[in-house]
Amino acid sequence: MSFVYRNRIALFLCVVAVFCLVWGVMQGQHQTVFRQAVNICMECIGLG
């Protein structure tokens, strides 16, 4: 059996994941996630 045939579900999920990442970056969601991560870190450290 070929590699692609044996791992078709995993390869499909990888393609879907890459599509979702690209779509999120195109919509500017990476900035929202980064802002939330900074806020959470500042609260945990106690600077904010």
Side-chain angles (χ1 to χ4, degrees):
M1 297 182 132
S2 70
F3 175 79
V4 174
Y5 183 75
R6 286 182 297 167
N7 297 309
R8 65 185 181 272
I9 294 173
L11 290 172
F12 174 74
L13 290 176
C14 287
V15 169
V16 170
V18 169
F19 173 76
C20 289
L21 283 171
V22 170
W23 189 23
V25 168
M26 287 174 39
Q27 291 184 344
Q29 293 297 318
H30 62 287
Q31 295 169 346
T32 304
V33 171
F34 180 72
R35 191 176 328 116
Q36 289 176 351
V38 168
N39 288 337
I40 288 173
C41 285
M42 291 298 191
E43 290 176 4
C44 289
I45 295 173
L47 299 176

